[in-house]
């Protein structure tokens, strides 16, 4: 158990809909990262938050947004969903966000867009 | 731009045989390198990491990797495969400079262990 909690584990929705994925980092970790894992693209970095502030953006679509709340949990919002958004979405956390820190990954949210 | 290439999307070895998973990187600055493992229906777990210092890095479960700057490689090895090693393995890289928050992953190598 990594200590990172993601909910829900599975999400099935229709095209055009909006969903919210939730992540609770390990106790004390200030950095939260979101990754998308798909068969064709592999693991893609989406966004990084540190103590409530956005620190880096990767291949995140404009239809996607995220935030980190004062209690350090984070949410990833996906809107106007398309079939191609079907993927496994991982959240990871680390203490400070330093380059040499290991990331602790949650078990992921499997999103299926029908 | 930094990138990570894993050679072989699928590797099969016999139980007790040597495991060798290949990873090459491209980076204009000294990299920090990582190997993560993903078991079915689970998140990724860190096996080992290279930051600075000794180029031969030992990790969990008997795995080790050697950083070879001249070859831009960071191959993962284990002398004797166990059935429990069957999983997907990801090589990953970060810049060693400040502000480098992005962990860049390779496409992954699925390891099968044949009894």
């Amino acid at each position: 158990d990594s200590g990172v909690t993601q909910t829900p584990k599975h999400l099935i929705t229709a095209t055009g809909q909006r969903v919210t994925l939730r992540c609770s980092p390990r106790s004390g970790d200030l950095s939260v990262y979101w990754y998308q894992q798909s068969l064709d693209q592999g693991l893609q970095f989406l966004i990084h938050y540190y103590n409530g502030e956005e620190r880096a953006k990767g291949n995140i679509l404009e239809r996607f947004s995220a935030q980190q709340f004062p209690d350090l949990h984070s949410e990833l919002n996906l809107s106007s969903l398309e079939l191609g958004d079907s993927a496994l979405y991982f959240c990871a956390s680390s203490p400070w966000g330093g380059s040499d820190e290991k990331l602790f990954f949650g078990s992921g949210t499997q999103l299926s867009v029908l | 731009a930094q990138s990570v290439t894993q050679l072989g999307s699928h590797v099969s070895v016999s139980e007790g045989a040597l495991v060798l998973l290949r990873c090459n990187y491209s980076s204009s600055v000294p990299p920090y390198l990582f190997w993560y493992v993903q078991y079915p229906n689970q998140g990724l777990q860190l096996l080992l990491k290279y930051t600075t210092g000794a180029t031969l890095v030992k990790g969990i479960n008997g795995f080790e990797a050697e950083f070879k700057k001249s070859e831009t490689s960071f191959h993962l090895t284990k002398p004797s495969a166990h059935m429990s090693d069957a999983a997907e393995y990801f090589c990953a890289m970060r810049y060693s400079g400040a502000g480098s928050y992005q962990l860049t992953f390779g496409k992954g190598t699925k390891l099968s262990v044949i009894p």
Side-chain angles (χ1 to χ4, degrees):
Chain A
D1 183 8
S2 68
V4 178
T5 303
Q6 289 187 249
T7 56
K9 290 193 182 304
H10 302 278
L11 198 50
I12 302 174
T13 189
T15 54
Q17 296 298 305
R18 172 188 170 92
V19 297
T20 297
L21 282 52
R22 182 187 170 100
C23 169
S24 294
R26 289 190 325 151
S27 177
D29 283 358
L30 299 177
S31 271
V32 170
Y33 308 79
W34 286 96
Y35 284 84
Q36 179 194 59
Q37 185 178 35
S38 61
L39 285 175
D40 54 343
Q41 296 291 325
L43 270 161
Q44 297 285 313
F45 168 71
L46 296 178
I47 199 162
H48 169 220
Y49 275 85
Y50 173 78
N51 203 22
E53 293 184 6
E54 181 186 304
R55 280 299 178 91
K57 267 187 175 179
N59 300 322
I60 188 167
L61 300 171
E62 285 191 12
R63 301 183 284 108
F64 295 1
S65 64
Q67 56 184 134
Q68 186 180 26
F69 295 86
D71 67 352
L72 301 178
H73 92 271
S74 177
E75 292 180 357
L76 180 67
N77 299 296
L78 315 176
S79 61
S80 302
L81 285 167
E82 302 175 359
L83 296 177
D85 298 327
S86 296
L88 187 53
Y89 291 84
F90 283 110
C91 164
S93 74
S94 70
W96 298 101
S99 298
D100 61 342
E101 284 183 349
K102 68 184 274 189
L103 268 59
F104 294 86
F105 283 80
S107 298
T109 294
Q110 181 68 58
L111 174 65
S112 298
V113 182
L114 305 178
Chain B
Q2 58 180 347
S3 66
V4 176
T5 302
Q6 290 184 242
L7 297 175
S9 59
H10 197 170
V11 170
S12 291
V13 300
S14 298
E15 193 175 14
L18 171 72
V19 175
L20 171 60
L21 304 181
R22 300 177 188 274
C23 171
N24 288 90
Y25 68 91
S26 173
S27 175
S28 57
V29 297
Y32 290 160
L33 296 162
F34 306 79
W35 275 99
Y36 282 84
V37 60
Q38 184 179 26
Y39 297 102
N41 301 314
Q42 293 186 29
L44 282 74
Q45 304 171 34
L46 182 71
L47 276 177
L48 49 80
K49 68 177 183 181
Y50 168 78
T51 54
T52 58
T55 56
L56 183 61
V57 181
K58 294 187 185 301
I60 61 171
N61 301 337
F63 284 94
E64 62 181 37
E66 187 170 10
F67 171 65
K68 291 188 176 180
K69 185 178 178 181
S70 61
E71 298 177 9
T72 61
S73 69
F74 191 57
H75 302 331
L76 182 71
T77 59
K78 182 174 180 178
S80 176
H82 293 168
M83 296 299 294
S84 59
D85 295 327
E88 189 155 19
Y89 292 80
F90 293 90
C91 182
M93 177 177 71
R94 264 171 156 167
Y95 286 133
S96 58
S100 52
Y101 306 107
Q102 180 175 347
L103 193 62
T104 300
F105 284 91
K107 295 280 191 184
T109 298
K110 188 165 287 188
L111 176 67
S112 297
V113 181
I114 304 164

